């Protein structure tokens, strides 16, 4: 609520600025020609001639297209190569993996074209602006020349006007050549865009056709195959073309700077030396008992740095380059095969048994199926044999683990693996049956999906294990443990990061499995249609995606703001020499500034424009001004408190009878923790409007007052000397200012004295006062000086019997029944 109110106030104060920004961002109307005054002709003529000369030099000297022509030609060559590979009908006979690879290639060309188009617009914009400016200036001079024809203007000015107009026209002609080239190149680009769009649509149609084939028989039953030895026509030529296309795609992708390639290369170069250094330190300190690692997984990761680096590098290829050629991803999966087996922890081996070795072997066999694509029969038979072998291996593992709660590992992990194994058995049975009856597409998809998803699960399991081991190793370092964040939340933070890594791995595995089983695309399209569907009511238009983006943006903003505030308060600002209270103010203001920026960013990401919301913010500002005056006052008071810093967290204060320590100063209220343990929320306006007693504003000094009395007849000089010596000898009593002992007066039953002493320990002043009073009592008792207690004398007088009888017999006064 405080965040919302703070943001609303800031929005209300920026309404005028937003309206001005909206006016500036609105499209400007074309400027009408204006005649130039006679007095301004010489100066204006010089300026326009200089401008025309600059434009002519730029047009003659510069080459605005530069590399744009060659880049466009490269994209055109890539598009022409893919269009010439296969006819429309041949695309429907290709495996879906090949179609997906071509789809990535088309998307790559589309992204390259989009980048080229942006660079083209940036190169053309200066020339278009020059042409527009020249046209406007020449229109002013032409209008001036027409008006001068009807009056008696000096001939020199007329000649000057004609000369400037002719020079501007020459500059326009100089621009015509580069502008013509740009227009021609733009036409080529438009044709290329149409070809790219057509190619993408063709690939999408082929993939959709392959998906429809999954639900029908596309081959005769296995027992009715007539010519098992027949080979596909021109299979060698097709494979050659496919290999050349893949190599071309890989080369184009490697040559293009797509953003994440350099980041991945930098991480790979930095990661290997770090892992080697960690392994070297581990071997060097292996004899130290305190350096023994806690888990077998961490031991394997540290002792095998090359395998760890190779696995993380391949995972980086999959994560940081999701749009890379499919061939690159397949190579990365094959390279990760050996590190996966070497880094498998002992717990995973007990859980999975020999399945990691079988999964990698089946993955290799599935990759080798491309060698048999020349024969439909052999290719079909190979997948049938592969499915039968995988089914037999899975059944053998299930039989082997019977009664052992899956390889001796109890708990949810064992039950999950057991359930996944039975699911794999069911899918493989369907694959074998579909292959036999003639649905080869379905059989191939099910068998390859089970094998690839199982192997990918192993890769992710090994990657998560490596990540958790490196996290534990990092958290065990002495320098990291000294950080405030690790001291307070070290265990929770590491566990949270590990949990998020496991969640990300599970999500990635689900997405990959859905893609292999050909359900990711329809699910994605359906979810996209739901998320992007707009709900419109009048001029209001909102979608579920906008709401989700806004919510995620706000959550991230709050998390980032809180984290930054904690780091500033606990790690950064305490190490700096800052005046009192500056650190807390900087941390608090940074927190609210980040929240405001995060809210604005969330609104912008959700599709809202701040300028369009100016009217709404203005209405909210009026509402705040009328109905929430106290809230606004407290908010402004909070800002004043943060800048003036009269009260800071940790101060001992007395606010309108509330005494305690300040815990936190917010934008609306300040929290005070009383000495009784209660938290009192005090509005910030009260801290500025009322009197506030701050005991620790400038120092930690506190005066200790003790009043006492001694019996009459005591030696005053001796008493004062004894009180002075006892006070000075009390621990915690400051020597500067020196304690003072005062003779304050003659009491009813005692000689009164007052002790005024100081202590620099504000938090312990009550304990020090108690100790001082105990010492004073003991010192007076030891010196035989009496501390009297109050006394009162009662005098008893005898009364005669006649007086008593007269008092008893006296009549009472009459009572008036009517009230006055």
């Amino acid at each position: 609520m405080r965040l919302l109110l703070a943001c609303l106030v800031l929005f209300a104060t920026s309404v005028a600025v937003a309206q001005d920004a909206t006016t500036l961002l609105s499209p400007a109307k074309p400027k009408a020609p204006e005649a130039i005054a006679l007095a301004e002709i010489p100066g204006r003529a010089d300026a326009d001639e200089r401008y025309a000369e600059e434009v002519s030099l730029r047009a003659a000297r510069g080459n605005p297209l530069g590399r744009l022509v060659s880049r466009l030609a490269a994209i055109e060559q890539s598009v022409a190569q893919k269009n010439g590979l296969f006819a429309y009908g041949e695309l429907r006979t290709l495996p879906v993996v090949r179609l997906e690879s071509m789809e990535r290639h088309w998307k790559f060309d589309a992204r390259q074209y989009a980048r080229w188009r942006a660079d083209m617009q940036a190169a053309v914009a200066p020339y278009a602006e020059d042409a527009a400016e020249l046209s406007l200036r020449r229109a002013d001079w032409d209008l001036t020349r027409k008006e001068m024809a009807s009056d008696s203007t000096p001939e020199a000015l007329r000649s000057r006007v004609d000369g400037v107009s002719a020079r501007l026209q020459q500059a326009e002609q100089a621009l015509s050549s580069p502008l013509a080239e740009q227009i021609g190149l733009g036409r080529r680009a438009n044709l290329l865009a149409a070809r790219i769009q057509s190619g993408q649509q063709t690939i999408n149609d082929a993939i959709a056709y392959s998906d429809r084939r999954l639900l029908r028989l596309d081959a005769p039953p296995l027992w009715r195959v007539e010519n098992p030895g027949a080979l596909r026509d021109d299979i060698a030529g097709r494979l050659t073309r496919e290999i050349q296309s893949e190599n071309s795609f890989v080369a184009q992708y490697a040559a293009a700077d797509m953003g994440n390639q350099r980041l991945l290369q930098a991480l790979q170069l930095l990661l290997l030396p770090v892992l080697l250094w960690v392994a070297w330190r581990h071997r060097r300190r292996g004899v130290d008992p305190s350096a023994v690692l806690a888990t077998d997984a961490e031991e394997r990761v540290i002792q095998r740095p090359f395998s760890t680096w190779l696995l993380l590098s391949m995972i980086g290829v999959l994560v940081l380059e999701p749009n890379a050629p499919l061939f690159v991803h397949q190579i990365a999966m094959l390279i990760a095969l050996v590190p996966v087996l070497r880094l498998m922890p002992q717990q995973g081996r007990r859980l999975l048994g020999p399945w990691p070795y079988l999964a990698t072997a089946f993955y290799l066999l599935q990759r080798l199926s491309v060698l048999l694509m020349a024969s439909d029969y052999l290719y079909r038979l190979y997948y049938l044999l592969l499915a039968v072998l995988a089914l037999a291996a899975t059944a053998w593992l299930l039989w082997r683990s019977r009664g052992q709660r899956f390889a001796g590992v109890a708990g949810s992990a064992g039950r999950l693996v057991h359930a996944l194994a039975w699911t794999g058995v069911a899918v493989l049975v369907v694959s074998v049956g579909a292959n036999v009856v003639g649905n080869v597409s379905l059989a191939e998809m099910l068998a390859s999906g089970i094998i690839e998803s199982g192997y990918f699960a192993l890769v992710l399991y090994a990657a998560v294990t490596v990540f958790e081991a490196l996290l534990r190793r990092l958290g065990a370092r002495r320098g990291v443990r000294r950080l405030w964040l690790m001291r307070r939340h070290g265990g929770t933070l590491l566990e949270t990061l590990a949990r998020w890594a496991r969640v990300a791995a599970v999500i990635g595995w689900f997405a990959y499995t859905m893609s292999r089983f050909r359900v990711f695309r329809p699910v994605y399209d359906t979810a996209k249609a739901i998320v992007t569907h707009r709900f419109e009511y009048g001029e209001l238009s909102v979608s579920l995606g906008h709401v989700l983006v806004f919510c995620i943006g706000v959550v991230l903003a709050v998390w980032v703001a809180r984290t930054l505030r904690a780091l500033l308060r606990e790690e950064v600002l305490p190490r700096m020499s800052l005046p009192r209270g500056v650190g807390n103010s900087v941390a608090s203001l940074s927190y609210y500034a980040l929240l405001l920026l995060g809210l604005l960013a969330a609104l912008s990401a959700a599709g809202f424009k701040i300028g369009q919301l100016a009217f709404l913010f203005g209405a909210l500002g009026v509402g705040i001004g009328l109905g929430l005056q106290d809230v606004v006052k407290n908010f402004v008071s909070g800002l004043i408190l943060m800048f003036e810093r009269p009260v800071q967290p940790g101060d001992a204060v007395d606010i309108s009878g509330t005494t305690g320590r300040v815990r936190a100063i917010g934008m609306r209220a300040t929290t005070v923790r009383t000495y009784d343990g209660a938290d009192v929320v005090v509005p910030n306006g009260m801290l500025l409007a009322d009197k506030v007693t701050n005991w620790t504003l400038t120092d930690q000094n506190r005066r200790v007052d003790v009043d006492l009395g001694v019996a009459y007849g005591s030696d005053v000089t001796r008493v004062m000397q004894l009180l002075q010596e006892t006070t000075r000898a009390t621990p915690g009593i400051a020597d500067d200012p020196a304690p003072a002992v005062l003779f304050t007066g003659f009491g009813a039953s005692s000689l009164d004295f007052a002790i005024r002493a100081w202590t620099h320990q504000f938090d312990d002043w009550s304990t020090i006062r108690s100790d001082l009073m105990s010492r004073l009592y003991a010192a007076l008792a030891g010196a035989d000086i009496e501390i009297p207690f109050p006394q009162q004398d009662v005098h008893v007088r005898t009364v005669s019997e006649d007086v008593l009888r007269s008092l008893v017999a006296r009549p009472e006064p009459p009572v008036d029944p009517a009230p006055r």
Side-chain angles (χ1 to χ4, degrees):
M1 183 64 186
R2 288 181 290 178
L3 168 63
L4 179 59
L5 293 174
C7 294
L8 290 178
V9 171
L10 291 179
F11 283 144
T13 57
S14 63
V15 170
V17 177
Q19 291 176 347
D20 294 340
T22 305
T23 304
L24 292 175
L25 294 177
S26 60
K29 295 181 180 180
K31 180 182 177 182
E34 296 180 357
I36 304 173
L38 294 179
E40 298 178 359
I41 287 179
R44 178 74 177 271
D46 293 339
D48 287 357
E49 282 186 342
R50 284 195 302 269
Y51 179 72
E53 188 66 25
E54 293 174 359
V55 172
S56 300
L57 291 176
R58 282 198 298 267
R61 181 178 52 197
N63 184 12
L65 301 181
R67 295 182 55 201
L68 293 175
V69 177
S70 59
R71 287 172 55 188
L72 184 64
I75 301 174
E76 290 175 337
Q77 181 181 359
S78 176
V79 170
Q81 180 184 7
K82 287 192 292 294
N83 284 330
L85 280 176
F86 304 101
Y88 183 79
E90 289 181 314
L91 289 174
R92 298 192 172 193
T93 62
L94 295 178
V96 70
V97 177
R98 183 72 185 94
L99 294 175
E100 291 177 347
S101 179
M102 294 184 66
E103 182 187 23
R104 291 194 177 197
H105 200 170
W106 280 110
K107 289 182 177 179
F108 172 78
D109 286 342
R111 288 192 298 271
Q112 290 291 89
Y113 173 78
R115 294 177 62 185
W116 181 91
R117 175 61 72 178
D119 295 340
M120 176 70 176
Q121 292 177 352
V124 171
Y127 291 85
E129 293 174 358
D130 287 341
E133 183 64 22
L134 287 174
S135 177
L136 291 175
R137 296 193 183 195
R138 191 164 64 88
D140 292 343
W141 287 105
D142 290 344
L143 181 60
T144 303
R145 185 171 53 185
K146 290 180 181 180
E147 293 185 357
M148 291 173 63
S150 60
D151 55 14
S152 57
T153 305
E155 186 63 27
L157 290 180
R158 292 176 185 269
S159 300
R160 186 60 169 157
V161 171
D162 294 339
V164 174
S165 180
R167 186 67 189 90
L168 292 174
Q169 188 174 4
Q170 292 176 2
E172 289 180 346
Q173 293 176 356
L175 281 177
S176 61
S177 177
L179 287 176
E181 294 180 7
Q182 294 165 7
I183 292 173
L185 195 62
R187 291 174 179 174
R188 286 177 55 187
N190 294 333
L191 180 60
L192 179 61
R195 291 176 179 176
I196 292 175
Q197 186 176 3
S198 176
Q200 288 181 315
Q201 185 61 42
T202 302
I203 291 296
N204 291 333
D205 293 341
I207 294 176
Y209 175 78
S210 299
D211 291 340
R212 290 194 298 268
R213 287 174 55 190
L214 297 175
L215 303 178
R216 63 189 181 190
L217 300 177
D218 54 358
L222 194 60
W223 63 86
R224 291 183 181 179
V225 177
E226 297 179 355
N227 189 9
L231 300 178
R232 294 183 181 179
D233 297 335
D234 195 23
I235 187 65
R238 175 190 289 184
L239 289 178
T240 303
R241 285 179 293 169
E242 291 182 4
I243 293 174
Q244 291 177 353
S245 177
E246 286 293 331
N247 291 336
S248 175
F249 185 17
V250 173
Q252 292 175 16
Y253 185 84
D257 186 9
M258 300 305 294
N260 290 337
Q261 297 181 18
R262 294 184 180 180
L263 175 61
L264 177 61
Q265 294 171 1
L267 291 177
Q268 290 174 347
L269 292 176
L270 293 175
L271 184 60
L272 182 58
V274 171
L275 292 175
L276 291 175
W277 177 75
V278 172
W280 174 76
R281 286 179 60 89
H282 169 64
R283 295 190 185 97
R284 184 180 178 183
R285 299 183 180 183
V287 297
D288 187 4
S290 62
V292 177
L293 300 177
T295 62
D296 171 71
E298 191 174 350
E299 188 77 27
R300 289 176 179 271
V301 169
I302 300 302
Q303 291 183 352
R304 298 171 180 177
F306 287 101
S307 296
T308 302
W309 175 78
L310 202 57
L311 178 60
L312 293 180
S313 298
M314 296 305 101
I315 292 296
V317 172
L318 299 178
V319 174
L320 296 179
E321 298 189 24
N323 298 318
L326 197 59
F327 180 74
V328 174
H329 283 185
Q330 293 173 351
I331 294 298
M333 294 278 285
L334 289 175
I335 294 176
L337 190 147
V338 175
V340 167
L341 297 179
R342 286 177 57 83
L343 297 174
M344 186 67 61
Q346 192 65 31
Q347 181 181 3
R349 297 177 185 274
R350 291 197 307 268
L351 176 64
L352 302 176
W355 175 248
Y357 301 96
L358 293 175
T360 53
F362 281 123
Y363 183 76
L364 282 175
L365 293 175
Q366 193 269 336
R367 292 290 97 192
L368 294 176
S369 63
V370 68
L371 301 177
L372 300 176
M373 292 182 64
S375 172
D376 292 337
Y377 178 74
L378 292 179
Y379 187 76
R380 175 181 180 181
L381 196 62
Y382 185 82
Y383 262 98
L384 176 62
L385 180 62
L386 196 63
V388 171
L389 289 178
L391 178 62
T394 308
W396 173 71
L397 288 175
L398 289 172
W399 177 83
R400 181 175 175 268
S401 63
R402 69 189 190 284
Q404 301 180 16
R405 308 188 74 175
F406 209 83
V409 178
S412 58
R415 291 192 295 271
L416 177 61
V417 173
H418 198 270
L420 292 176
W422 276 111
T423 303
V425 167
V427 173
L428 290 173
V429 168
V430 176
S431 175
V432 171
N435 197 326
V436 171
V437 300
N439 194 342
V440 181
S441 299
L442 180 62
E444 177 188 355
M445 183 269 292
L446 293 178
S448 62
I450 283 293
I451 293 173
E452 293 184 19
S453 63
Y455 174 72
F456 190 64
L458 289 178
V459 173
L460 292 179
Y461 177 70
V464 171
T465 302
V466 169
F467 180 75
E468 292 181 359
L470 293 178
L471 272 182
R472 287 193 296 269
R473 186 66 176 177
L474 179 64
R477 292 189 58 81
R478 184 178 303 173
V480 177
R481 291 198 305 266
R482 287 199 295 263
L483 297 176
W484 165 83
L485 192 62
M486 295 300 297
R487 290 198 309 269
R488 290 194 177 184
H489 311 287
T492 305
L493 179 62
L494 295 179
E495 181 60 29
T496 301
L497 291 176
R499 187 183 301 112
W500 278 109
R502 291 191 290 268
V503 170
V506 171
I507 294 175
W509 180 81
F510 268 110
Y512 183 83
T513 302
M514 292 171 64
S515 176
R516 292 302 89 201
F517 283 99
R518 311 277 287 279
V519 296
F520 179 81
R521 188 183 298 269
V523 171
Y524 176 80
D525 293 340
T526 303
K528 182 179 179 181
I530 294 174
V531 171
T532 57
H533 178 71
R534 290 184 174 273
F535 299 92
E536 297 182 356
Y537 182 78
E539 296 183 358
L540 179 62
S541 177
V542 67
S543 66
L544 181 60
H546 289 161
V547 176
L548 292 177
V549 169
F550 176 76
C551 294
I552 294 174
V554 171
V555 171
L556 288 177
V558 172
W559 182 80
V560 171
R562 288 180 176 177
T563 303
L564 179 63
R565 180 176 61 178
L567 291 177
L568 288 175
R569 283 182 175 177
E570 304 295 338
E571 289 292 336
V572 179
L573 297 176
R575 304 174 186 270
M576 303 172 64
S577 300
L578 298 175
R580 176 185 177 274
V582 173
N584 178 74
S585 299
V586 170
S588 299
L589 292 175
S590 301
Y591 171 74
Y592 289 107
L594 275 180
L595 286 182
L596 178 59
L597 292 177
L599 180 60
L600 293 176
L603 286 173
S604 178
F608 295 97
K609 295 182 180 180
I610 306 303
Q612 296 176 351
L613 300 178
F615 177 76
L616 176 61
F617 295 152
L620 291 175
V622 173
I624 291 174
L626 295 178
L628 300 176
Q629 297 181 10
D630 292 339
V631 176
V632 175
K633 181 182 70 174
N634 293 327
F635 172 75
V636 176
S637 300
L639 292 177
I640 296 175
L641 289 175
M642 289 184 181
F643 282 104
E644 292 189 355
R645 304 186 301 278
V647 176
Q648 288 300 312
D651 287 351
V653 297
D654 186 353
I655 306 172
S656 300
T658 301
T659 304
R661 290 275 184 178
V662 177
R663 294 190 60 184
I665 300 176
M667 296 299 293
R668 188 194 65 85
T670 297
T671 304
V672 178
R673 184 68 176 268
T674 66
Y675 297 116
D676 296 332
D679 288 330
V680 180
V681 179
V682 182
N684 289 332
M686 184 179 296
L687 296 178
L688 295 181
D690 297 346
K691 182 179 69 174
V692 178
T693 301
N694 191 341
W695 294 93
T696 57
L697 178 62
T698 57
D699 51 40
Q700 296 289 322
N701 296 340
R702 176 67 187 259
R703 197 176 76 174
V704 180
D705 297 339
V706 177
D707 296 328
L708 56 84
V710 298
Y712 276 96
S714 301
D715 187 351
V716 174
T717 303
R718 182 187 176 193
V719 170
M720 294 181 66
Q721 182 180 2
L722 180 62
L723 295 179
Q724 183 78 19
E725 294 174 354
T726 305
T727 302
R728 287 182 176 274
T730 303
I733 297 298
D735 295 332
D736 186 21
V741 178
L742 305 176
F743 183 20
T744 58
F746 301 96
S749 57
S750 63
L751 300 175
D752 296 334
F753 294 87
I755 301 173
R756 303 290 183 262
W758 290 87
T759 178
H760 301 318
Q761 305 174 17
F762 180 86
D763 294 334
D764 298 331
W765 78 273
S766 58
T767 304
I768 295 173
R769 183 175 185 273
S770 175
D771 185 25
L772 174 61
M773 294 178 67
S774 300
R775 290 172 176 268
L776 292 174
Y777 181 79
L780 292 175
D784 293 332
I785 299 176
E786 181 183 359
I787 300 178
F789 50 86
Q791 300 179 2
Q792 185 174 7
D793 295 336
V794 178
H795 301 276
V796 180
R797 189 178 65 178
T798 304
V799 182
S800 63
E801 295 181 359
D802 296 337
V803 175
L804 289 175
R805 281 196 297 269
S806 63
L807 291 174
V808 171
R810 180 179 300 173
E812 296 182 359
V815 179
D816 188 1
R820 297 181 180 178

